[in-house]
Amino acid sequence: MPTPVDHLVHGAPTLDGALDDLERRLGVRGAFGGRHDGRGTHNAVIGLGAGAYLELIAPDPEQPAPTQPRPFGLDELDEAGLVG
């Protein structure tokens, strides 16, 4: 039996830019999820129904750069898109 998907990950250069873009395209604004301290990222989420959600993740400019690369190749992104 296939494992159900609980969330998709949308990576972006900036969280505000991703929130604005997806609100324009989908008609719904994501809710701020939180900061990932030490990883240099923050996120927002958009519910997709049936317990699934879209996670928007981006570098957090209020945190120092982490000692390791940010997850999902966020340090190299020039534009937003599905990363996981």
Side-chain angles (χ1 to χ4, degrees):
M1 177 183 255
T3 303
V5 173
D6 69 339
H7 74 287
L8 302 172
V9 183
H10 182 86
T14 70
L15 189 57
D16 287 339
L19 285 164
D20 292 345
D21 177 53
L22 290 175
E23 181 178 24
R24 180 183 52 77
R25 293 195 289 147
L26 303 176
V28 62
R29 183 138 185 111
F32 184 72
R35 290 188 158 75
H36 308 115
D37 292 330
R39 298 191 78 191
T41 60
H42 57 170
N43 72 351
V45 294
I46 297 173
L48 300 174
Y53 62 95
L54 176 63
E55 176 183 8
L56 289 63
I57 188 168
D60 183 352
E62 294 184 15
Q63 291 187 52
T67 57
Q68 297 181 6
R70 289 177 179 91
F72 304 108
L74 295 176
D75 295 315
E76 289 81 41
L77 287 182
D78 293 326
E79 58 184 43
L82 197 62
V83 295

